Amino acid sequence: MKRHTAKFMLALSFIAVVLLAARPDPIKEKAKGLKDYYSKFFSIGVAIRPTDPSNHDQRTLILSEFNSITPENAMKMGPIHPQENTYFWRDADSIVAFGVQNKIKVRGHTLCWHAQTPDWLFVDSAGKDVSKKVLLQRLKSHINTVVSRYKGKVYAWDVVNEVIADDSTYFRKTKWSEITGEDFVEKAFEYAHEADPKAILFYNDYNTEIPAKREKIYRMLKNLLAKGVPIHGVGLQAHWSINTPSREELEKSIQLFSSLGLQIQFTELDISVYTGRQGGQMIQGQGQMQAAVFTPEMEQKQLEKYKMIFEVFRKYPKEITGVTFWNLSDKYSWLDGRGRKNFPLLFDTNLKPKKAYWEVVKF
Ligand code: G3I
């Protein structure tokens, strides 16, 4: 009897060992990051602040999940070139050094934009608008200085950002267009190409799944390419929400832009849990009074949206060369700065993967 019991126990332990071995090991599974799940598709990036790598847990998360970084603000004209003869390199340098030391690709963002521009840029010493010639000279000098400094370290640049209007007009009215017309766009690409002929150059914009804006961006890119302007990719920012975009519109954008022979990157991905905004713009009066709670309904809708967009991304591995999240985790996101907390990313406020994360890597 005793012998039977011993045999039975032995058999039980054997079955237990076999069962345990067959079970996916959560520790091993988590040793894989987004970049590993997607290694056959495209790089997976994240926009960071210079302080992110100094925080132990955030640094660990960046290194385990991502193989590309973008400085969220540090390379923009205002922060990096505050006065005509003064550059502020510290923050951008530290992010680039972090990327280089850890063999993570660095995307440069952004060389020419209407926002976060320094005060001196458009005016002379008397405070009057500068001429087109002077503004283009300033643009050339800025681009040449910044791109040359990071030559061989920054593999791709968002050269021009957001010049197409959201309303029914074509070109966004800014100081750039007021002084130079549309010419600054092609000039910016030429200057960047001259400074680093190997860098991959992107035009970057949001609301690219809204048909009217998509058509206008397509038209501009087509014209630039027809003129031989050195442009290699289009950055679709992907500031989305739990309601937008639809699968159909997303696929249409990928197909239309790649038909131009341009590579596609989703450069600023986040999925707002509020529905009252589109792209970079807030729709006034909607969704502003929501409580700062990540409700089960938001969680479910966001998870479905993340699942759907990554299904679409995986359909286009030749066309898409990178997907970058705009911030690391829900602990901090640029979307928080609108009077309410948002929860737009794949990692929660404690840097732990959300349910949506597991949907993104399940394929
Ligand atoms: O650095 C100053 C700091 O010195 C000051 O004390 C503080 C007070 O508000 O402001 C700090 O600057 C802020 C900066 O972020 C750094 O935190 C600016 O006010 C704030 O406007 C700026 O916001 C950035 C925004 O671009 C500017 O338009 C966001 O962080 C950044 O995520 C966002 O990123 C843009 C992309 O570059 C282009 N596409 C849209 C996207 C979202 O708007």
Side-chain angles (χ1 to χ4, degrees):
M1 184 69 178
K2 267 190 187 158
R3 219 174 40 222
H4 277 122
T5 314
K7 267 191 184 163
F8 179 67
M9 293 306 287
L10 195 70
L12 261 189
S13 345
F14 178 73
I15 291 168
V17 168
V18 170
L19 283 177
L20 274 177
R23 202 180 58 169
D25 176 352
I27 297 174
K28 246 195 204 157
E29 277 298 298
K30 205 54 216 90
K32 269 172 99 174
L34 291 167
K35 64 180 167 45
D36 308 303
Y37 291 103
Y38 280 89
S39 60
K40 292 205 180 81
F41 294 89
F42 32 72
S43 55
I44 302 274
V46 59
I48 61 169
R49 297 166 299 162
T51 47
D52 286 329
S54 352
N55 173 297
H56 173 268
D57 293 348
Q58 285 166 203
R59 182 188 182 89
T60 308
L61 188 62
I62 297 169
L63 294 178
S64 53
E65 299 287 343
F66 303 96
N67 51 13
S68 170
I69 48 173
T70 304
E72 182 185 4
N73 287 299
M75 284 180 174
K76 291 171 182 171
M77 263 188 161
I80 210 169
H81 195 173
Q83 282 152 22
E84 186 160 16
N85 298 312
T86 309
Y87 282 87
F88 175 73
W89 297 115
R90 189 194 64 197
D91 290 351
D93 279 2
S94 77
I95 291 176
V96 173
F98 172 70
V100 171
Q101 277 155 19
N102 293 289
K103 299 191 170 50
I104 294 178
K105 291 201 238 177
V106 185
R107 292 191 91 254
H109 175 85
T110 172
L111 297 170
C112 180
W113 192 23
H114 61 274
Q116 282 177 296
T117 51
D119 293 341
W120 61 270
L121 188 64
F122 301 110
V123 289
D124 62 20
S125 52
K128 291 222 166 75
D129 278 3
V130 290
S131 64
K132 174 173 178 176
K133 192 170 166 211
V134 169
L135 185 57
L136 291 178
Q137 266 163 2
R138 288 179 174 183
L139 180 65
K140 182 172 188 175
S141 162
H142 171 83
I143 289 181
N144 185 49
T145 308
V146 176
V147 173
S148 302
R149 185 175 183 91
Y150 299 120
K151 195 170 178 173
K153 295 178 178 168
V154 166
Y155 85 102
W157 282 98
D158 289 330
V159 178
V160 175
N161 216 31
E162 303 173 8
V163 298
I164 295 300
D166 286 301
D167 61 20
S168 58
T169 59
Y170 173 52
F171 220 71
R172 186 190 290 274
K173 285 187 183 44
T174 64
K175 268 305 194 196
W176 289 108
S177 59
E178 195 185 310
I179 298 175
T180 78
E182 295 174 21
D183 290 354
F184 70 97
V185 177
E186 61 190 77
K187 289 291 173 201
F189 281 98
E190 281 165 21
Y191 302 151
H193 189 59
E194 260 169 51
D196 184 355
K198 288 196 178 138
I200 304 169
L201 306 182
F202 284 82
Y203 172 71
N204 190 44
D205 212 333
Y206 64 90
N207 279 352
T208 49
E209 296 67 43
I210 294 181
K213 190 160 174 190
R214 176 170 58 212
E215 286 304 322
K216 288 188 284 182
I217 296 172
Y218 173 78
R219 180 173 131 200
M220 180 185 72
L221 293 172
K222 202 170 173 199
N223 289 341
L224 291 173
L225 288 165
K227 283 184 178 175
V229 174
I231 170 167
H232 314 112
V234 55
L236 311 182
Q237 291 187 7
H239 290 297
W240 292 330
S241 85
I242 48 178
N243 285 353
T244 55
S246 67
R247 184 186 291 265
E248 292 68 34
E249 295 303 343
L250 175 55
E251 290 211 46
K252 270 189 202 161
S253 293
I254 296 172
Q255 289 164 4
L256 185 71
F257 292 123
S258 60
S259 74
L260 289 168
L262 294 172
Q263 57 173 280
I264 290 178
Q265 293 204 357
F266 290 90
T267 51
E268 306 186 13
L269 173 59
D270 46 33
I271 297 189
S272 169
V273 296
Y274 304 108
T275 54
R277 62 177 282 277
Q278 292 185 317
Q281 308 294 310
M282 192 71 194
I283 295 174
Q284 289 302 320
Q286 285 184 38
Q288 303 225 14
M289 299 305 289
Q290 312 264 3
V293 186
F294 188 45
T295 65
E297 194 200 346
M298 288 171 176
E299 182 178 48
Q300 182 59 29
K301 289 187 94 173
Q302 188 185 54
L303 163 165
E304 282 162 16
K305 189 60 78 181
Y306 265 120
K307 182 175 185 309
M308 181 279 280
I309 62 168
F310 273 88
E311 273 168 15
V312 172
F313 294 167
R314 289 194 300 273
K315 267 181 79 178
Y316 297 92
K318 287 206 187 78
E319 292 81 356
I320 300 172
T321 58
V323 174
T324 293
F325 289 83
W326 204 245
N327 299 134
L328 184 56
S329 78
D330 290 350
K331 184 173 157 190
Y332 157 80
S333 137
W334 73 283
L335 290 166
D336 293 341
R338 292 165 179 245
R340 62 184 180 186
K341 176 94 191 118
N342 209 317
F343 305 89
L345 297 158
L346 287 184
F347 300 95
D348 68 16
T349 52
N350 296 311
L351 313 185
K352 298 285 177 255
K354 290 158 65 176
K355 283 187 191 159
Y357 177 99
W358 298 110
E359 293 298 328
V360 163
V361 300
K362 196 167 66 187
F363 59 90

